[in-house]
Amino acid sequence: MLTTRVIPCLDVKDGRVVKGVNFVDLRDAGDPVEAAIAYDTAGADELCFLDINASHENRGTILDVASRTADQCFMPLTIGGGIRTVEDIRALLLAGADKVSINSAAVKDPDFVARAADKFGAQCIVVSIDPRQVAPGRWELFTHGGRNPTGIDAIAFAALMAQKGAGEIMVTSMDRDGTRDGFDLELTRQVVEAVPVPVIASGGVGNLQHLVDGVTIGGANAVLAASIFHFGDYSIGEAKAYMAEHGVRVRPMEAV
Amino acid sequence: MSEKIVIIDYGSGNLHSVQKAFQRGAAAKGHSVVVSADPAAVSAADRVVLPGVGAFGDCRAGLEAVSGMREALHARVIEQGVPFFGICVGMQLMAERGLERGSHDGLGWLGGDVVHLTPQDPGLKVPHMGWNALGSVASHPVFRDVPTGRHVYFVHSYHMKTTDPSQTLASVDYGGPVTAAVGRDNLFGTQFHPEKSQHVGAKIIENFLEWRP
């Protein structure tokens, strides 16, 4: 059977990891490529880089990170942040990304996702949404790190994105992001039920039970976390062992 | 003897990872790996790798758009019998037809069609994305030391149904059997991405580079 993916996500700014990775002796804890190699060795199932100050001028920096990572890590790599054009996507894929994650540009122009999926295939287009709860059972899309409301219903938008050709939806609860209180499970579950494609739960993980809950209660196909891994609270191996003990099928370390 | 491994570039997807993964396996053997859109390179290749991501029809059209490539491939792989490795859609192209967004002719090297995944459990998502455990792995030199149960990385919505069951070399369970690897004689292909499957993928690539069908 298919296993649930555990995905560490690294915020990258000007080619450097914003919060250094502390779980292992790295020569340079701020180098995203070293962090990527460490997570590859630790048995992460995919890796995600988020370029948090992406702009037209510094596009080359993240391309270099993608390329150097792909040279050394033989695992799936997703890159997000500041993707606005088909050319941005092409450059990232050619540099070594396997998937790109599109956020604001999809909100601004949903057909951008359709054009991207037509051009490169749905399998490499992840649409990342940042909802905030506005009423019981209702979530609205926010952009710009949760600051700007859009008035768009998040669940309906997720369904639209899957229709347009997104191969996967990443849901980051803006209410939970950074809180360590766990995923917004009701939000996750609603998105999972609204789309036929896989869903990555993100935002709020503070302990290993949260990862289990994202799958068993939220219904997510993959779980993404940042600080619990980067700060060394838990290793990927510990996360997977805990998930397996609690009935979630995960990929064990396999040396061949 | 030093060999030349040619990865065909026909405008489909990211060849960087495929190239790096094959280079890693080839370096120890003194083999060279080149990415090329030149049919002459295929004609001189000791081993041929055909990657591919995206839609079947687009990949087929992309291959056709490189003048002389299909003919060179046919001559080198089918007539002269050098080892061939198709990855993802590059594997699917070996089928007779691809039924993704219409019906498109494949290369017809293996009997069967490429059809949409229809997991029996409606809760299972398509694309089939992530790490799945190989089941019923055939005894095949490219799967040497890769036992049933090892996990490999998939991302796809279509798979090949071979007419001759012996041409399916491995499958995985995703609401029913999903074809993971196919082949016959000097032809080998995986639906999964060995270049993204960490140690298990590296082992499969290494085995391919040693394979003498």
Side-chain angles (χ1 to χ4, degrees):
Chain A
M1 273 303 292
L2 191 66
T3 53
T4 298
R5 288 166 284 154
V6 177
I7 309 174
C9 179
L10 291 151
D11 286 353
V12 177
K13 185 180 180 187
D14 301 325
R16 303 286 294 169
V17 179
V18 175
K19 294 165 190 158
V21 173
N22 294 336
F23 69 93
V24 63
D25 284 334
L26 299 181
R27 271 180 299 139
D28 177 359
D31 179 3
V33 181
E34 281 214 33
I37 292 166
Y39 279 123
D40 186 11
T41 309
D45 296 312
E46 284 185 22
L47 197 61
C48 180
F49 284 144
L50 191 60
D51 188 8
I52 60 168
N53 69 334
S55 68
H56 188 66
E57 292 72 36
N58 65 13
R59 208 72 222 165
T61 315
I62 194 72
L63 294 177
D64 176 60
V65 168
S67 165
R68 288 190 296 125
T69 303
D71 285 353
Q72 300 188 63
C73 292
F74 298 92
M75 66 187 300
L77 173 66
T78 302
I79 296 188
I83 294 166
R84 292 177 186 88
T85 66
V86 164
E87 275 314 307
D88 291 341
I89 299 174
R90 186 195 311 278
L92 281 167
L93 296 177
L94 286 176
D98 298 289
K99 305 188 233 181
V100 294
S101 145
I102 303 174
N103 188 319
S104 307
V107 179
K108 206 168 150 194
D109 175 13
D111 284 323
F112 173 52
V113 172
R115 290 196 301 277
D118 275 349
K119 194 83 199 161
F120 306 107
Q123 82 290 335
C124 67
I125 306 298
V126 183
V127 171
S128 169
I129 60 172
D130 294 343
R132 199 183 271 289
Q133 190 159 17
V134 291
R138 191 181 140 73
W139 291 264
E140 197 177 297
L141 278 192
F142 280 67
T143 59
H144 299 85
R147 291 191 303 275
N148 299 358
T150 63
I152 299 167
D153 181 80
I155 311 300
F157 185 78
L160 175 70
M161 288 298 96
Q163 257 175 36
K164 292 284 183 190
E168 198 167 25
I169 306 287
M170 186 194 299
V171 191
T172 307
S173 161
M174 285 297 111
D175 300 304
R176 296 300 179 90
D177 201 30
T179 64
R180 295 185 159 240
D181 289 339
F183 297 122
D184 183 334
L185 297 172
E186 195 191 343
L187 166 67
T188 306
R189 168 60 67 184
Q190 291 228 12
V191 173
V192 167
E193 285 173 1
V195 301
V197 299
V199 173
I200 305 169
S202 157
V205 174
N207 61 47
L208 300 182
Q209 184 60 40
H210 291 153
L211 300 176
V212 171
D213 292 344
V215 181
T216 56
I217 304 173
N221 306 96
V223 287
L224 182 142
S227 49
I228 64 157
F229 296 134
H230 306 332
F231 296 149
D233 302 2
Y234 304 100
S235 69
I236 299 286
E238 285 167 342
K240 287 190 169 184
Y242 186 90
M243 291 166 78
E245 277 165 30
H246 292 77
V248 177
R249 197 181 291 265
V250 289
R251 178 179 65 115
M253 287 292 281
E254 290 170 342
V256 176
Chain B
M1 193 191 80
S2 173
E3 294 187 354
K4 187 192 259 184
I5 291 97
V6 174
I7 299 169
I8 301 179
D9 178 6
Y10 58 110
S12 171
N14 165 30
L15 303 183
H16 187 100
S17 321
V18 176
Q19 183 184 12
K20 287 290 167 188
F22 276 82
Q23 268 171 353
R24 186 172 59 165
K29 303 181 191 344
H31 298 346
S32 65
V33 177
V34 294
V35 172
S36 178
D38 181 0
V42 172
S43 302
D46 296 300
R47 293 170 195 271
V48 175
V49 181
L50 185 66
V53 296
F56 187 99
D58 292 346
C59 286
R60 185 73 176 94
L63 196 59
E64 229 32 68
V66 184
S67 176
M69 185 56 90
R70 185 168 49 81
E71 294 78 2
L73 250 181
H74 192 271
R76 195 64 182 153
V77 176
I78 300 302
E79 289 167 20
Q80 295 159 27
V82 303
F84 173 89
F85 196 151
I87 300 173
C88 198
V89 183
M91 166 269 219
Q92 294 180 354
L93 286 172
M94 286 193 278
E96 291 170 282
R97 290 186 308 165
L99 304 179
E100 176 173 7
R101 291 195 240 159
S103 174
H104 308 272
D105 285 341
L107 296 168
W109 295 354
L110 299 177
D113 289 343
V114 176
V115 301
H116 198 255
L117 292 175
T118 47
Q120 278 156 20
D121 174 355
L124 290 177
K125 303 289 194 176
V126 176
H128 169 227
M129 188 181 289
W131 298 81
N132 204 331
L134 289 170
S136 47
V137 178
S139 171
H140 189 285
V142 182
F143 280 124
R144 188 167 56 85
D145 297 332
V146 180
T148 294
R150 287 287 188 266
H151 290 79
V152 287
Y153 186 79
F154 289 85
V155 46
H156 64 122
S157 300
Y158 291 78
H159 74 140
M160 194 193 299
K161 287 266 224 213
T162 60
T163 321
D164 175 352
S166 75
Q167 294 185 348
T168 294
L169 301 177
S171 58
V172 295
D173 175 27
Y174 193 61
V178 169
T179 302
V182 297
R184 65 167 173 86
D185 307 316
N186 60 317
L187 305 175
F188 184 84
T190 60
Q191 180 61 65
F192 58 87
H193 288 269
E195 79 280 12
K196 290 290 154 187
S197 297
Q198 293 184 330
H199 303 296
V200 179
K203 184 68 197 169
I204 289 168
I205 289 171
E206 190 190 318
N207 289 341
F208 172 74
L209 294 174
E210 288 170 359
W211 184 32
R212 306 217 167 270

